[in-house]
Amino acid sequence: MTDRAPGVAVGDEVEVVVGAVAHGGHCVARYEGQVVFVRHALPGELVRARVTELGGGSRFVRADAVEVLTASPDRTTPPCPWSGPGRCGGCDLQHVARPRQRELKADVVREQLARLAGLEVAVVVEPVTGDADGLGWRTRVEYAVDASGRAGLRRHRSHEVVRIDHCRIASEGVAGLDVTRREWPGSEAVDAVAPATGAPVAVPVGPRGSVPEDVPDVVERVEASWAGADGGGRLARDFGVAARGFWQVHPGAAATFVGAVMAGLDVRPGERALDLYSGVGLFSAALGEAVGPAGQVVAVEADRDATEHAERNLADLPWVLPVRARVDDAFGVPRRTSRGRRPHRGRRPVRSPMMPTRADVVVLDPPRTGAGPDVVREVAALGPRAVAYVACDPAALARDTRTLTEAGYRLASLRAFDAFPMTHHVECVAHLVPS
């Protein structure tokens, strides 16, 4: 990467008219024909933007709006003093009024589905209960620790640690741990967790992810209900989770997503369900209670710790089978590299005998990179009557939706949720059925 693109260099300031919002927490502008991805701006504004980075072989530049010359009516004063150009990189949208935040996220989801899946879909981003002002909701925060042993949050696209007083989107339980006011010698990070049940926990993370041996598990309570053609259902259950394990960071997210997934599946007693990327068993529990003893749920998860927790969390549902395996390995498809390419060498993949050859319903909750075309085609080959796809990245959702539509499915419904207020992130729950 060089420090100069045609016409501009890092540190230059240029005046641009800001265009549409784009995936990733910025808006698109142009300067002398060159694409400029501008953070801390809003569509329609005239801003002075400082170039922070050159990317894509100088085909585009990244920049921060350091001065607003003509403001959008949707602009507001950020509630956090650490939000803004050159500061904490955690919140992208604190300068945007809350209703407009959700509209921008809807625009991104709509654009990704149109561009990558060829689908024109009406999108409304729904709020999640528990964050009236968008602050104080995050129940899991990973702080970075600098060389002096003090904790803070990282600058955008940087390893540099910004020392803050406290995070404005952190929950009361996380804030009460006073992570940024304590010293953490020898640590590289600190995970702060405020579970639904029990006391908050601060876990120091050493080199190579090492943690103390006495880190306790935490308990998350989920109470969800849903309506459907089958009359609907309800889930009320505690889930044991490793303090550093995966769990939704918004206190209302887990129940919201369970309700959305189950409402669109209409799971029936005696059916066979497949829960992919199943974690500690959140969706598996709802599926297991719905199919009952005459049915079956196969839950596939790669993480050993999460699978062990799932076995304990679902012990009262013996017809739910947690399987520890990568999903692509379980299907017997070749692993792909981080860039989505198949490796040239490696052992011939073998399908797990635990994987069913057919399923009535399938739930996917993959990581940000998505499930990928090989896994998605295997899902379609099972012939499910309904597929629920939970996605934290709209681009990955759009790519995998396209693969499913090519395999004979259609998008029946899509709901989007503002589970990460003040940031550009958005969670989607899509339901697909045979065409």
Side-chain angles (χ1 to χ4, degrees), residues 216-292:
D217 286 351
V218 297
V219 177
E220 300 287 358
R221 178 72 178 175
V222 177
E223 297 186 6
S225 60
W226 58 90
D230 62 345
R234 184 173 183 273
L235 178 72
R237 181 179 286 263
D238 289 336
F239 293 85
V241 187
R244 297 197 69 232
F246 174 79
W247 189 259
Q248 293 293 339
V249 298
H250 192 295
T256 298
F257 300 159
V258 167
V261 164
M262 296 300 291
L265 290 178
D266 288 327
V267 182
R268 303 156 192 166
E271 288 193 313
R272 174 178 289 162
L274 185 60
D275 183 11
L276 303 178
Y277 315 94
S278 54
V280 300
L282 174 64
F283 297 116
S284 297
L287 293 168
E289 293 189 9
V291 301

Side-chain angles (χ1 to χ4, degrees), residues 65-427:
V66 294
E67 184 180 357
V68 179
L69 304 176
T70 304
S72 164
D74 297 308
R75 177 172 285 274
T76 188
T77 301
C80 177
W82 308 106
S83 174
R87 300 173 187 149
C88 169
C91 293
D92 313 281
L93 301 179
Q94 287 210 7
H95 63 288
V96 185
R98 288 297 309 288
R100 185 59 172 148
Q101 288 185 26
R102 292 192 285 270
E103 291 175 357
L104 292 177
K105 296 180 187 188
D107 288 345
V108 170
V109 176
R110 188 182 306 110
E111 188 272 338
Q112 294 294 303
L113 286 169
R115 184 168 61 87
L116 299 177
L119 299 175
E120 296 296 331
V121 181
V123 181
V124 176
V125 175
E126 306 171 38
V128 175
T129 302
D131 56 81
D133 58 1
L135 305 176
W137 55 269
R138 192 175 182 106
T139 59
R140 290 172 176 251
V141 177
E142 182 178 88
Y143 295 90
V145 178
D146 64 19
S148 70
R150 298 301 297 271
L153 296 171
R154 296 194 186 278
R155 297 187 193 278
H156 180 62
R157 296 178 61 84
S158 170
H159 292 293
E160 185 178 352
V161 178
V162 179
R163 291 189 182 181
I164 65 172
D165 51 1
H166 68 275
C167 176
R168 282 9 180 223
I169 65 172
S171 68
E172 183 178 348
V174 168
L177 292 168
D178 286 333
V179 171
T180 59
R181 294 182 172 88
R182 298 159 61 183
E183 294 187 358
W184 304 92
S187 298
E188 294 184 351
V190 179
D191 277 354
V193 181
T197 302
V201 179
V203 183
V205 182
R208 298 180 182 177
S210 61
V211 298
E213 295 182 357
D214 59 348
V215 176
D217 286 351
V218 297
V219 177
E220 300 287 358
R221 178 72 178 175
V222 177
E223 297 186 6
S225 60
W226 58 90
D230 62 345
R234 184 173 183 273
L235 178 72
R237 181 179 286 263
D238 289 336
F239 293 85
V241 187
R244 297 197 69 232
F246 174 79
W247 189 259
Q248 293 293 339
V249 298
H250 192 295
T256 298
F257 300 159
V258 167
V261 164
M262 296 300 291
L265 290 178
D266 288 327
V267 182
R268 303 156 192 166
E271 288 193 313
R272 174 178 289 162
L274 185 60
D275 183 11
L276 303 178
Y277 315 94
S278 54
V280 300
L282 174 64
F283 297 116
S284 297
L287 293 168
E289 293 189 9
V291 301
Q296 182 189 53
V297 179
V298 178
V300 184
E301 169 58 46
D303 184 77
R304 178 190 297 273
D305 201 43
T307 305
E308 291 175 352
H309 279 83
E311 290 173 348
R312 294 192 290 271
N313 293 333
L314 306 170
D316 62 322
L317 303 173
W319 52 91
V320 178
L321 175 65
V323 175
R324 188 174 73 85
R326 282 178 49 130
V327 171
D328 47 5
D329 288 349
F331 274 123
V333 300
R335 294 187 180 188
R336 291 180 178 263
T337 67
S338 60
R339 294 179 178 271
R341 301 190 183 99
R342 291 181 177 178
H344 296 294
R345 299 177 182 177
R347 64 179 178 82
R348 183 180 180 85
V350 178
R351 187 187 183 97
S352 168
M354 300 293 100
M355 291 295 282
T357 56
R358 68 167 186 82
D360 297 295
V361 296
V362 178
V363 176
L364 301 95
D365 186 10
R368 189 169 301 280
T369 51
D374 295 330
V375 167
V376 169
R377 281 191 282 267
E378 290 292 332
V379 168
L382 297 173
R385 63 169 182 78
V387 176
Y389 193 122
V390 184
C392 59
D393 184 272
L397 171 64
R399 289 192 295 266
D400 287 345
T401 296
R402 184 181 187 93
T403 303
L404 273 169
T405 58
E406 292 170 347
Y409 282 75
R410 65 176 176 84
L411 183 63
S413 67
L414 175 74
R415 295 180 68 184
F417 298 96
D418 192 14
F420 310 91
M422 300 295 179
T423 79
H424 74 272
H425 298 290
V426 58
E427 196 89 8

